Amino acid sequence: MVRGKNLKEHVIDRIVPGSIAEELELEPGDRLLSVNGNEITDVFDYHYFINEEYLTVVVRKQNGEEWELEIEKEFEEDLGIEFENGLMDEYRSCCNKCIFCFIDQMPKGMRKTLYFKDDDSRLSFLQGNYVTLTNMKDRDIQRIIEYKLGPINISVQTTNPKLRCMMLNNRFAGEALKKIDALYEAGIPMNGQIVLCKGVNDGAELERSIRDLMAYMPCMESVSVVPVGLSKFREGLYPLEPFKKEDARQVLDIIHRWQEVCYERQGNHFIHASDEWYLLAELPLPEEDNYDGYPQLENGVGMLRLLETEFMEALERASDDTELAADRRIVDNTEPENGSQASGCDGAREDCPTIISIATGLLAAPHIRKLTEAFMERFPRRRVIVYPIENRFFGEMITVSGLLTGQDIIAQLKGRELGERLLLPCNLLRSQEQDFLDDITLEEAKKALQVPIDIVESNGRDLLDCLLGI
């Protein structure tokens, strides 16, 4: 059994009701010491070692007593313990100084957590974060292989070792690429990401990176190419230029050409362009089949195509009864919420449509407007106004909705016709929170704009429901 004053102790934060831990009378504040004689370093150790049918778990109670618990359970059955720290360890910060890092482009005075640069491989598995591999030791790679973890998401940027050292400002960044070889040889599933910087890793370098990464198929399941985000706070940083329409078309030409090669070779497209490239190039989005089941959705690859597909399918299934039920709800709730703007009539009469507003980023606004036009044709008693919000906080070159701030939304919507409700995409708010990047809360935005605000999840069905008010 593991003993010693340097033994890691993990404080229990919550016990799941009805769980094994509750039956054993474990409580918040107790400390986990070991499982089957193994010290638990972090969440991966914990889940790996408890995936057995017979366990010996040592816990220190709050009164100082040590309990040695013999447990018989189903294989992979959870104990029902949640810890104070989700990782059960310190978060690992990034040791690079990438020329494209968005955190370096943020103004001073924002909350501290926004300036933390994570490069923690564990978050790759838990939250889908992309990691550079520069922060990982050989033992970290071996543990991934031993525990058969996957997929791991890798920020590749380029497969040119010398160029990667320059882009990451880390002399070990090129050598770190060899870790991909070890993961590939062990059959660990991977996804890749290339943040494309104009005149740096595009053109011939992008071709090289795609060709090199194809050698890791099928373990390397997909690779996304996303344009660098450039804020107005770049003084003293590496001089990067924004991509223009013709640049975007050249990038797409390269990606489409390699997609054909990959599809012939293994039956999927492998290399994917994020939605921004198509919007910037003023070209139509690919059809749904081109996205191979959306493996890179969190990188903005196919997000608009999936939204449109889900929305149009839901719109086709929607019945007239759905609108009538929504109209009845409007009539039953004629009193404006929190002093909100009134529409001037009950919204149920044909000569007085219900007005709903949507605010989103400049890039996605035309696509959202296309969906709302289809919606208004199907439900003529609804009128939807789409407001593109310019990113004055970070600068006009930032056009995605996820980096909009509360202050920009309030400043550009105040005094505008917002109707019965304002819809905002969920990526405007911090995960699990009710505030924007600049710490303005959702409640403050409601009061400032004098309108109820509905948050739309990232799917077409929810957008339709929010437009109908159900």
Side-chain angles (χ1 to χ4, degrees):
M1 185 176 299
V2 176
R3 283 287 186 270
K5 63 179 181 180
N6 294 322
L7 184 69
K8 274 201 168 187
E9 300 181 1
H10 302 283
V11 180
I12 295 174
D13 183 58
R14 179 176 174 268
I15 300 296
V16 176
S19 65
I20 294 173
E22 185 179 59
E23 288 182 27
L24 295 171
E25 299 183 0
L26 298 182
E27 302 170 305
D30 294 345
R31 295 171 182 266
L32 175 70
L33 301 185
S34 66
V35 176
N36 283 350
N38 298 291
E39 180 181 9
I40 304 301
T41 302
D42 59 18
V43 64
F44 288 159
D45 283 346
Y46 173 72
H47 284 293
Y48 180 74
F49 289 121
I50 68 167
N51 283 341
E52 300 291 344
E53 295 178 349
Y54 302 98
L55 299 178
T56 300
V57 176
V58 179
V59 173
R60 178 175 291 124
K61 298 292 288 181
Q62 295 178 70
N63 62 7
E65 290 182 4
E66 283 193 13
W67 288 8
E68 185 173 291
L69 306 168
E70 302 289 337
I71 301 170
E72 183 177 350
K73 64 178 187 62
E74 297 294 326
F75 183 74
E76 292 188 345
E77 183 181 1
D78 193 48
L79 297 181
I81 298 174
E82 296 179 5
F83 297 92
E84 281 187 346
N85 181 337
L87 276 184
M88 301 174 69
D89 192 18
E90 296 298 319
Y91 288 85
R92 297 176 185 173
S93 62
C94 184
C95 59
N96 308 309
K97 191 170 177 56
C98 301
I99 63 173
F100 51 83
C101 181
F102 196 81
I103 293 176
D104 291 338
Q105 302 178 63
M106 294 202 303
K108 296 179 180 178
M110 302 182 77
R111 60 177 177 270
K112 284 185 176 181
T113 53
L114 290 178
Y115 299 101
F116 180 76
K117 300 180 183 182
D118 77 73
D119 195 22
D120 199 314
S121 60
R122 295 164 298 185
L123 294 178
S124 180
F125 300 104
L126 296 173
Q127 299 176 11
N129 293 20
Y130 279 75
V131 294
T132 66
L133 304 178
T134 59
N135 219 17
M136 298 179 67
K137 308 295 184 186
D138 288 342
R139 64 176 178 272
D140 297 319
I141 296 294
Q142 289 306 312
R143 191 166 66 141
I144 289 171
I145 293 170
E146 180 185 354
Y147 293 1
K148 296 180 172 60
L149 298 172
I152 181 170
N153 299 322
I154 303 170
S155 284
V156 180
Q157 319 318 358
T158 176
T159 56
N160 179 337
K162 185 176 180 181
L163 179 59
R164 194 170 196 256
C165 290
M166 185 280 286
M167 291 187 70
L168 274 59
N169 271 305
N170 184 330
R171 62 192 179 96
F172 302 110
E175 188 72 14
L177 288 171
K178 294 180 180 178
K179 295 182 173 70
I180 299 178
D181 293 324
L183 295 169
Y184 170 72
E185 289 167 6
I188 299 298
M190 297 175 276
N191 291 298
Q193 178 197 61
I194 296 173
V195 177
L196 211 61
C197 300
K198 186 175 178 178
V200 180
N201 61 336
D202 56 351
E205 289 293 346
L206 175 59
E207 301 247 19
R208 168 182 174 157
S209 295
I210 295 172
R211 184 169 52 250
D212 289 348
L213 292 172
M214 283 174 59
Y216 297 115
M217 296 191 301
C219 292
M220 182 72 73
E221 297 175 343
S222 68
V223 176
S224 63
V225 180
V226 301
V228 62
L230 302 176
S231 86
K232 64 183 181 182
F233 303 102
R234 288 196 57 83
E235 186 176 350
L237 299 178
Y238 187 92
L240 290 175
E241 297 179 11
F243 287 96
K244 304 295 185 184
K245 176 180 174 179
E246 287 306 313
D247 301 320
R249 292 194 169 197
Q250 290 173 16
V251 169
L252 290 174
D253 284 344
I254 292 173
I255 290 173
H256 292 162
R257 182 160 24 88
W258 282 104
Q259 282 184 334
E260 292 180 8
V261 175
C262 294
Y263 195 82
E264 283 186 13
R265 185 173 298 184
Q266 69 167 27
N268 67 28
H269 297 83
F270 182 67
I271 181 77
H272 297 277
S274 64
D275 293 351
E276 296 109 302
W277 294 113
Y278 293 97
L279 299 177
L280 185 58
E282 298 179 10
L283 293 174
L285 295 169
E287 295 302 317
E288 188 168 28
D289 289 348
N290 286 63
Y291 289 106
D292 301 332
Y294 302 103
Q296 293 270 357
L297 199 62
E298 294 303 315
N299 265 330
V301 176
M303 191 172 288
L304 291 177
R305 170 56 68 202
L306 181 60
L307 177 68
E308 179 178 333
T309 300
E310 292 174 338
F311 183 84
M312 298 307 290
E313 288 176 353
L315 186 62
E316 188 175 346
R317 291 194 300 266
S319 67
D320 294 334
D321 292 341
T322 305
E323 185 179 25
L324 291 172
D327 284 341
R328 284 195 292 271
R329 186 194 64 79
I330 293 168
V331 173
D332 293 340
N333 294 277
T334 54
E335 188 68 29
E337 181 184 330
N338 296 328
S340 62
Q341 300 172 4
S343 61
C345 60
D346 60 26
R349 300 200 319 265
E350 289 189 11
D351 61 340
C352 189
T354 300
I355 299 173
I356 305 106
S357 54
I358 300 176
T360 188
L362 292 176
L363 207 59
H367 198 78
I368 300 299
R369 191 173 284 116
K370 174 185 171 184
L371 300 185
T372 60
E373 286 171 357
F375 171 80
M376 288 186 286
E377 185 176 344
R378 174 69 177 79
F379 296 109
R381 292 201 303 273
R382 296 287 189 275
R383 184 159 73 91
V384 185
I385 308 171
V386 178
Y387 290 109
I389 303 298
E390 179 185 339
N391 200 320
R392 297 170 185 169
F393 186 88
F394 286 113
E396 62 183 14
M397 288 187 288
I398 302 298
T399 56
V400 295
S401 60
L403 289 172
L404 289 175
T405 57
Q407 58 191 272
D408 276 343
I409 292 168
I410 292 170
Q412 293 173 54
L413 293 184
K414 208 157 193 177
R416 308 291 291 272
E417 183 178 20
L418 300 179
E420 178 193 306
R421 286 170 291 115
L422 170 65
L423 308 186
L424 297 177
C426 62
N427 61 357
L428 288 175
L429 302 178
R430 285 195 297 162
S431 179
Q432 309 299 320
E433 301 292 344
Q434 292 289 299
D435 52 4
F436 299 89
L437 275 174
D438 55 354
D439 289 333
I440 288 177
T441 66
L442 190 59
E443 194 59 40
E444 288 171 337
K446 290 179 183 179
K447 290 179 180 178
L449 295 172
Q450 292 291 285
V451 66
I453 296 177
D454 289 344
I455 301 301
V456 183
E457 297 300 321
S458 299
N459 65 77
R461 172 78 251 186
D462 195 58
L463 174 60
L464 179 63
D465 287 348
C466 287
L467 287 172
L468 286 170
I470 58 176

